[in-house]
Amino acid sequence: MPNHIHLLLSLKGDGNISKIMHDFKSHTAQEINKLLKRGGAFWQEGFYDHIIRDETDFQKRIDYVHKNPLTVGLVKDLSDSPFSSFRNYCLGDDSIIQIDKLVW
């Protein structure tokens, strides 16, 4: 997605989602700004979280993430989205990104 990111995270122990997101956004903003040879804010303030409680909810969320590029008109076919986890889950393609798949 050109203006936002979807993450499905599995926290271990007493993982703190606010700290994780702060660290993620801080690190990635610095690295992206270096690549773009620019400075300043990169990410918007805040984030939205949702606790996934069962396999049905997980499937609903992962389907939303997979379909988002199609829904907003970035691609005509889900397989055309090179950085989507759809390629990993549905096509078995780990060539661009590798993900840890949740097993219920």
Side-chain angles (χ1 to χ4, degrees):
M1 302 304 299
N3 63 354
H4 66 280
I5 187 169
H6 296 272
L7 300 171
L8 278 83
L9 305 171
S10 176
L11 302 182
K12 296 187 180 193
D14 60 352
N16 180 319
I17 189 69
S18 293
K19 176 157 178 24
I20 291 168
M21 291 306 299
H22 174 270
D23 292 350
F24 171 82
K25 289 168 89 173
S26 176
H27 176 74
T28 55
Q30 289 174 25
E31 294 300 314
I32 292 167
N33 279 338
K34 276 188 222 174
L35 288 171
L36 297 176
K37 295 179 173 56
R38 54 161 277 185
F42 182 80
W43 297 107
Q44 290 181 346
E45 295 276 330
F47 64 93
Y48 171 78
D49 64 332
H50 171 83
I51 296 172
I52 296 175
R53 301 196 182 274
D54 58 32
E55 187 174 2
T56 301
D57 192 23
F58 174 79
Q59 194 60 55
K60 178 180 171 185
R61 299 295 170 167
I62 199 76
D63 286 348
Y64 172 83
V65 171
H66 289 161
K67 292 175 184 170
N68 205 224
L70 183 67
T71 302
V72 299
L74 290 175
V75 296
K76 292 183 180 182
D77 187 271
L78 290 175
S79 62
D80 294 336
S81 187
F83 302 108
S84 169
S85 57
F86 170 82
R87 301 192 64 77
N88 302 77
Y89 273 87
C90 301
L91 304 178
D93 178 1
D94 291 332
S95 64
I96 295 177
I97 54 174
Q98 294 183 355
I99 58 173
D100 295 328
K101 295 177 185 143
L102 182 63
V103 178
W104 289 93

Short mmCIF file of all heavy atoms in Angstrom, two decimals, residues 29-64:
data_model
loop_
_atom_site.label_atom_id
_atom_site.label_comp_id
_atom_site.label_asym_id
_atom_site.label_seq_id
_atom_site.Cartn_x
_atom_site.Cartn_y
_atom_site.Cartn_z
N ALA A 29 11.27 4.71 9.56
CA ALA A 29 11.28 6.10 9.08
C ALA A 29 12.70 6.58 8.83
O ALA A 29 12.98 7.22 7.81
CB ALA A 29 10.58 7.02 10.09
N GLN A 30 13.60 6.26 9.75
CA GLN A 30 15.00 6.65 9.57
C GLN A 30 15.59 6.02 8.31
O GLN A 30 16.26 6.68 7.51
CB GLN A 30 15.83 6.26 10.79
CG GLN A 30 15.54 7.09 12.01
CD GLN A 30 16.28 6.57 13.23
OE1 GLN A 30 17.31 5.92 13.12
NE2 GLN A 30 15.74 6.85 14.41
N GLU A 31 15.35 4.72 8.13
CA GLU A 31 15.91 4.01 6.99
C GLU A 31 15.30 4.48 5.67
O GLU A 31 16.01 4.66 4.68
CB GLU A 31 15.74 2.49 7.16
CG GLU A 31 16.53 1.90 8.31
CD GLU A 31 18.02 2.13 8.18
OE1 GLU A 31 18.57 1.89 7.08
OE2 GLU A 31 18.65 2.54 9.17
N ILE A 32 14.01 4.69 5.64
CA ILE A 32 13.34 5.15 4.42
C ILE A 32 13.79 6.57 4.09
O ILE A 32 14.07 6.88 2.92
CB ILE A 32 11.80 5.06 4.57
CG1 ILE A 32 11.38 3.58 4.63
CG2 ILE A 32 11.10 5.79 3.43
CD1 ILE A 32 9.95 3.35 5.06
N ASN A 33 13.89 7.43 5.09
CA ASN A 33 14.36 8.79 4.85
C ASN A 33 15.79 8.80 4.30
O ASN A 33 16.11 9.61 3.44
CB ASN A 33 14.24 9.65 6.11
CG ASN A 33 12.83 10.18 6.31
OD1 ASN A 33 12.05 10.27 5.37
ND2 ASN A 33 12.50 10.51 7.54
N LYS A 34 16.64 7.90 4.78
CA LYS A 34 18.00 7.78 4.23
C LYS A 34 17.94 7.41 2.75
O LYS A 34 18.62 8.01 1.93
CB LYS A 34 18.80 6.70 4.98
CG LYS A 34 19.45 7.15 6.23
CD LYS A 34 20.36 6.04 6.73
CE LYS A 34 20.27 5.86 8.21
NZ LYS A 34 21.02 4.72 8.71
N LEU A 35 17.14 6.41 2.44
CA LEU A 35 17.01 5.97 1.04
C LEU A 35 16.47 7.07 0.14
O LEU A 35 16.89 7.20 -1.01
CB LEU A 35 16.11 4.74 0.94
CG LEU A 35 16.67 3.43 1.47
CD1 LEU A 35 15.58 2.36 1.52
CD2 LEU A 35 17.83 2.95 0.60
N LEU A 36 15.55 7.84 0.66
CA LEU A 36 14.93 8.92 -0.12
C LEU A 36 15.72 10.22 -0.05
O LEU A 36 15.32 11.21 -0.67
CB LEU A 36 13.49 9.15 0.36
CG LEU A 36 12.52 7.99 0.19
CD1 LEU A 36 11.16 8.33 0.79
CD2 LEU A 36 12.38 7.60 -1.28
N LYS A 37 16.80 10.21 0.74
CA LYS A 37 17.63 11.41 0.93
C LYS A 37 16.79 12.61 1.37
O LYS A 37 16.82 13.68 0.77
CB LYS A 37 18.41 11.73 -0.35
CG LYS A 37 19.43 10.66 -0.70
CD LYS A 37 20.15 11.01 -1.97
CE LYS A 37 21.28 10.11 -2.30
NZ LYS A 37 21.14 8.75 -2.44
N ARG A 38 16.01 12.37 2.42
CA ARG A 38 15.13 13.41 2.96
C ARG A 38 15.09 13.27 4.47
O ARG A 38 15.68 12.37 5.04
CB ARG A 38 13.73 13.31 2.38
CG ARG A 38 13.11 11.92 2.54
CD ARG A 38 11.64 11.91 2.41
NE ARG A 38 11.09 12.29 3.71
CZ ARG A 38 9.82 12.30 4.00
NH1 ARG A 38 8.93 11.95 3.13
NH2 ARG A 38 9.40 12.64 5.19
N GLY A 39 14.40 14.16 5.12
CA GLY A 39 14.25 14.11 6.56
C GLY A 39 12.82 14.38 6.95
O GLY A 39 11.96 14.55 6.09
N GLY A 40 12.58 14.41 8.23
CA GLY A 40 11.24 14.74 8.72
C GLY A 40 10.39 13.52 8.97
O GLY A 40 10.82 12.38 8.85
N ALA A 41 9.15 13.79 9.32
CA ALA A 41 8.20 12.73 9.65
C ALA A 41 7.91 11.87 8.43
O ALA A 41 7.83 12.36 7.31
CB ALA A 41 6.91 13.32 10.19
N PHE A 42 7.76 10.60 8.66
CA PHE A 42 7.38 9.69 7.58
C PHE A 42 6.01 9.07 7.87
O PHE A 42 5.15 9.06 7.02
CB PHE A 42 8.44 8.59 7.40
CG PHE A 42 8.11 7.65 6.29
CD1 PHE A 42 8.37 8.01 4.97
CD2 PHE A 42 7.51 6.42 6.52
CE1 PHE A 42 8.05 7.16 3.92
CE2 PHE A 42 7.18 5.57 5.48
CZ PHE A 42 7.46 5.94 4.19
N TRP A 43 5.83 8.54 9.07
CA TRP A 43 4.59 7.87 9.45
C TRP A 43 3.63 8.86 10.10
O TRP A 43 4.05 9.80 10.76
CB TRP A 43 4.85 6.74 10.44
CG TRP A 43 5.68 5.63 9.91
CD1 TRP A 43 6.98 5.36 10.23
CD2 TRP A 43 5.29 4.62 8.97
NE1 TRP A 43 7.41 4.26 9.55
CE2 TRP A 43 6.39 3.78 8.77
CE3 TRP A 43 4.11 4.35 8.28
CZ2 TRP A 43 6.36 2.69 7.92
CZ3 TRP A 43 4.08 3.26 7.44
CH2 TRP A 43 5.19 2.45 7.25
N GLN A 44 2.35 8.60 9.97
CA GLN A 44 1.35 9.35 10.72
C GLN A 44 1.42 8.95 12.19
O GLN A 44 1.92 7.88 12.52
CB GLN A 44 -0.06 9.05 10.21
CG GLN A 44 -0.35 9.60 8.85
CD GLN A 44 -1.78 9.29 8.41
OE1 GLN A 44 -2.46 8.46 8.99
NE2 GLN A 44 -2.22 9.96 7.36
N GLU A 45 0.90 9.81 13.05
CA GLU A 45 0.84 9.51 14.48
C GLU A 45 -0.12 8.34 14.71
O GLU A 45 -1.11 8.18 14.02
CB GLU A 45 0.32 10.72 15.25
CG GLU A 45 1.23 11.93 15.20
CD GLU A 45 2.33 11.85 16.25
OE1 GLU A 45 2.10 11.26 17.31
OE2 GLU A 45 3.41 12.38 15.96
N GLY A 46 0.20 7.54 15.71
CA GLY A 46 -0.71 6.50 16.18
C GLY A 46 -0.77 5.27 15.30
O GLY A 46 -0.08 5.15 14.29
N PHE A 47 -1.63 4.34 15.72
CA PHE A 47 -1.87 3.10 14.98
C PHE A 47 -3.18 2.51 15.48
O PHE A 47 -3.69 2.91 16.52
CB PHE A 47 -0.70 2.11 15.16
CG PHE A 47 -0.51 1.64 16.58
CD1 PHE A 47 -1.11 0.48 17.03
CD2 PHE A 47 0.26 2.37 17.47
CE1 PHE A 47 -0.95 0.06 18.34
CE2 PHE A 47 0.44 1.96 18.78
CZ PHE A 47 -0.17 0.79 19.22
N TYR A 48 -3.70 1.57 14.74
CA TYR A 48 -4.92 0.88 15.12
C TYR A 48 -4.57 -0.56 15.41
O TYR A 48 -3.89 -1.21 14.61
CB TYR A 48 -5.97 0.97 14.00
CG TYR A 48 -7.17 0.10 14.24
CD1 TYR A 48 -8.17 0.51 15.12
CD2 TYR A 48 -7.31 -1.13 13.64
CE1 TYR A 48 -9.27 -0.28 15.37
CE2 TYR A 48 -8.41 -1.93 13.87
CZ TYR A 48 -9.39 -1.50 14.74
OH TYR A 48 -10.47 -2.29 14.99
N ASP A 49 -5.01 -1.07 16.55
CA ASP A 49 -4.74 -2.47 16.86
C ASP A 49 -6.04 -3.23 17.09
O ASP A 49 -7.09 -2.64 17.38
CB ASP A 49 -3.80 -2.62 18.05
CG ASP A 49 -4.40 -2.10 19.35
OD1 ASP A 49 -5.24 -1.19 19.30
OD2 ASP A 49 -4.01 -2.60 20.42
N HIS A 50 -5.95 -4.52 16.92
CA HIS A 50 -7.10 -5.41 17.11
C HIS A 50 -6.55 -6.74 17.59
O HIS A 50 -5.63 -7.29 16.99
CB HIS A 50 -7.85 -5.60 15.79
CG HIS A 50 -8.90 -6.66 15.85
ND1 HIS A 50 -10.16 -6.41 16.34
CD2 HIS A 50 -8.88 -7.96 15.50
CE1 HIS A 50 -10.87 -7.53 16.27
NE2 HIS A 50 -10.12 -8.48 15.76
N ILE A 51 -7.09 -7.26 18.67
CA ILE A 51 -6.67 -8.56 19.18
C ILE A 51 -7.41 -9.66 18.42
O ILE A 51 -8.64 -9.66 18.38
CB ILE A 51 -6.94 -8.67 20.69
CG1 ILE A 51 -6.11 -7.64 21.45
CG2 ILE A 51 -6.64 -10.09 21.18
CD1 ILE A 51 -6.44 -7.55 22.93
N ILE A 52 -6.65 -10.56 17.83
CA ILE A 52 -7.24 -11.70 17.13
C ILE A 52 -7.38 -12.84 18.13
O ILE A 52 -6.40 -13.28 18.72
CB ILE A 52 -6.36 -12.11 15.93
CG1 ILE A 52 -6.34 -10.96 14.92
CG2 ILE A 52 -6.87 -13.40 15.31
CD1 ILE A 52 -5.43 -11.16 13.75
N ARG A 53 -8.60 -13.29 18.30
CA ARG A 53 -8.88 -14.26 19.36
C ARG A 53 -9.07 -15.69 18.87
O ARG A 53 -9.02 -16.62 19.67
CB ARG A 53 -10.10 -13.82 20.14
CG ARG A 53 -9.92 -12.45 20.77
CD ARG A 53 -10.93 -12.16 21.84
NE ARG A 53 -10.75 -10.83 22.39
CZ ARG A 53 -9.93 -10.53 23.38
NH1 ARG A 53 -9.18 -11.45 23.91
NH2 ARG A 53 -9.84 -9.30 23.82
N ASP A 54 -9.31 -15.86 17.58
CA ASP A 54 -9.50 -17.22 17.10
C ASP A 54 -9.17 -17.30 15.60
O ASP A 54 -8.88 -16.30 14.96
CB ASP A 54 -10.93 -17.71 17.37
CG ASP A 54 -12.01 -16.83 16.75
OD1 ASP A 54 -11.78 -16.25 15.67
OD2 ASP A 54 -13.11 -16.74 17.33
N GLU A 55 -9.20 -18.51 15.09
CA GLU A 55 -8.83 -18.73 13.69
C GLU A 55 -9.77 -18.02 12.72
O GLU A 55 -9.34 -17.51 11.69
CB GLU A 55 -8.80 -20.23 13.40
CG GLU A 55 -8.28 -20.56 12.03
CD GLU A 55 -8.13 -22.05 11.79
OE1 GLU A 55 -8.46 -22.85 12.68
OE2 GLU A 55 -7.68 -22.41 10.69
N THR A 56 -11.05 -17.95 13.05
CA THR A 56 -12.02 -17.28 12.18
C THR A 56 -11.69 -15.80 12.05
O THR A 56 -11.69 -15.24 10.95
CB THR A 56 -13.45 -17.46 12.73
OG1 THR A 56 -13.74 -18.86 12.81
CG2 THR A 56 -14.48 -16.76 11.86
N ASP A 57 -11.39 -15.16 13.18
CA ASP A 57 -11.03 -13.75 13.16
C ASP A 57 -9.72 -13.54 12.41
O ASP A 57 -9.58 -12.60 11.64
CB ASP A 57 -10.93 -13.22 14.59
CG ASP A 57 -10.85 -11.70 14.66
OD1 ASP A 57 -11.30 -11.02 13.71
OD2 ASP A 57 -10.35 -11.19 15.68
N PHE A 58 -8.76 -14.43 12.63
CA PHE A 58 -7.49 -14.33 11.90
C PHE A 58 -7.73 -14.40 10.40
O PHE A 58 -7.21 -13.58 9.64
CB PHE A 58 -6.52 -15.44 12.33
CG PHE A 58 -5.27 -15.46 11.51
CD1 PHE A 58 -4.25 -14.56 11.76
CD2 PHE A 58 -5.11 -16.36 10.47
CE1 PHE A 58 -3.09 -14.56 11.00
CE2 PHE A 58 -3.97 -16.37 9.70
CZ PHE A 58 -2.95 -15.46 9.96
N GLN A 59 -8.53 -15.35 9.95
CA GLN A 59 -8.80 -15.51 8.52
C GLN A 59 -9.49 -14.28 7.95
O GLN A 59 -9.16 -13.81 6.86
CB GLN A 59 -9.64 -16.76 8.26
CG GLN A 59 -9.65 -17.16 6.81
CD GLN A 59 -8.26 -17.46 6.28
OE1 GLN A 59 -7.54 -18.26 6.82
NE2 GLN A 59 -7.85 -16.79 5.21
N LYS A 60 -10.42 -13.70 8.72
CA LYS A 60 -11.11 -12.49 8.28
C LYS A 60 -10.11 -11.34 8.10
O LYS A 60 -10.15 -10.62 7.11
CB LYS A 60 -12.16 -12.11 9.32
CG LYS A 60 -12.92 -10.85 9.02
CD LYS A 60 -13.93 -10.57 10.13
CE LYS A 60 -14.56 -9.21 9.98
NZ LYS A 60 -15.44 -8.88 11.09
N ARG A 61 -9.19 -11.19 9.05
CA ARG A 61 -8.21 -10.10 8.99
C ARG A 61 -7.20 -10.31 7.87
O ARG A 61 -6.86 -9.38 7.15
CB ARG A 61 -7.48 -9.96 10.34
CG ARG A 61 -8.38 -9.64 11.48
CD ARG A 61 -9.02 -8.28 11.32
NE ARG A 61 -10.07 -8.10 12.33
CZ ARG A 61 -10.62 -6.96 12.61
NH1 ARG A 61 -10.27 -5.87 11.97
NH2 ARG A 61 -11.57 -6.88 13.52
N ILE A 62 -6.71 -11.52 7.72
CA ILE A 62 -5.71 -11.78 6.67
C ILE A 62 -6.36 -11.64 5.29
O ILE A 62 -5.74 -11.13 4.36
CB ILE A 62 -5.00 -13.14 6.86
CG1 ILE A 62 -3.68 -13.18 6.07
CG2 ILE A 62 -5.83 -14.32 6.45
CD1 ILE A 62 -2.56 -12.43 6.67
N ASP A 63 -7.61 -12.03 5.15
CA ASP A 63 -8.32 -11.83 3.87
C ASP A 63 -8.44 -10.35 3.55
O ASP A 63 -8.26 -9.93 2.41
CB ASP A 63 -9.71 -12.47 3.91
CG ASP A 63 -9.68 -13.98 3.82
OD1 ASP A 63 -8.61 -14.55 3.50
OD2 ASP A 63 -10.73 -14.61 4.08
N TYR A 64 -8.76 -9.53 4.56
CA TYR A 64 -8.85 -8.08 4.37
C TYR A 64 -7.52 -7.53 3.88
O TYR A 64 -7.46 -6.75 2.93
CB TYR A 64 -9.27 -7.39 5.67
CG TYR A 64 -9.20 -5.89 5.56
CD1 TYR A 64 -10.24 -5.16 5.00
CD2 TYR A 64 -8.07 -5.19 6.00
CE1 TYR A 64 -10.16 -3.77 4.89
CE2 TYR A 64 -7.99 -3.82 5.88
CZ TYR A 64 -9.04 -3.11 5.33
OH TYR A 64 -8.95 -1.75 5.20
#
